[in-house]
Amino acid sequence: MSKEKEFKMNFYSKDEVKDLIKSEAEFYYVDTGRYGMIIKFEDIPDFIVDYNRNLAMKDLKFYSIDKDMYEPDITTMGEFLDRINPNLRERMIDRLIALQRGNAKLKEYKLLDIDVYNNVKSRIKENYLKRNKARKDREAR
């Protein structure tokens, strides 16, 4: 069995993506060099270790979805951090080290498909604008 078949990517459904967006979860775009997807910040340590141990040793790049600059916030060398903002590092390093040392089990996590994320986010924005316009129209009467 190839390593790629052992690494299973689980994705959130459209309804789950909608709930996550409304909850204002912190999202990052992950660039594996082969795949591009979105992940919640809290799942990054598990993804780094899982991906590198079960698919391929890869240098990964993570970009904040909410940032205008296209520069990675987190880069790895295999399953180890390379460059990371100190505040982000502080928030994730304990979990990452515990996973690397085998002191914690990988938790199940899901990814967000980029197209699904963009479509759901657009629909939420459209619905907000429609409701806002309807409210203003009622107030104008």
Side-chain angles (χ1 to χ4, degrees):
M1 180 184 294
S2 75
K3 280 193 165 221
E4 191 163 340
K5 291 188 177 169
E6 293 173 27
F7 182 77
K8 186 173 182 208
M9 290 189 269
N10 295 315
F11 288 90
Y12 287 104
S13 68
K14 286 182 184 180
D15 289 336
E16 289 172 319
V17 170
K18 182 179 177 182
D19 291 342
L20 285 171
I21 291 171
K22 287 183 175 183
S23 75
E24 298 183 8
E26 188 176 1
F27 298 115
Y28 281 79
Y29 170 80
V30 56
D31 178 6
T32 67
R34 184 171 182 188
Y35 306 107
M37 59 220 108
I38 298 172
I39 191 166
K40 293 189 313 184
F41 176 79
E42 64 208 42
D43 295 332
I44 291 175
D46 294 85
F47 179 82
I48 290 170
V49 172
D50 190 27
Y51 190 91
N52 280 281
R53 290 190 180 169
N54 294 309
L55 186 60
M57 288 299 278
K58 274 301 229 179
D59 297 344
L60 305 170
K61 295 177 184 175
F62 298 86
Y63 301 82
S64 174
I65 294 292
D66 298 325
K67 206 163 89 171
D68 292 333
M69 288 179 34
Y70 192 72
E71 181 178 310
D73 295 281
I74 304 167
T75 60
T76 68
M77 293 176 61
E79 66 181 61
F80 302 98
L81 294 176
D82 178 29
R83 289 184 311 132
I84 185 170
N85 172 300
N87 295 330
L88 295 177
R89 182 186 186 284
E90 186 175 315
R91 291 173 48 205
M92 71 182 289
I93 195 66
D94 291 339
R95 174 81 181 152
L96 182 61
I97 289 172
L99 290 166
Q100 290 167 337
R101 292 182 176 169
N103 296 335
K105 282 188 167 186
L106 286 171
K107 66 179 179 178
E108 286 191 32
Y109 61 87
K110 291 184 180 180
L111 302 163
L112 292 85
D113 179 271
I114 294 168
D115 292 332
V116 171
Y117 174 84
N118 288 333
N119 290 337
V120 170
K121 190 155 180 129
S122 292
R123 273 196 231 119
I124 290 172
K125 186 176 181 179
E126 286 172 18
N127 289 337
Y128 171 79
L129 293 173
K130 284 178 188 176
R131 282 193 312 271
N132 200 26
K133 183 181 181 324
R135 185 181 53 82
K136 285 182 181 180
D137 289 346
R138 279 193 305 270
E139 290 173 359
R141 292 181 201 163

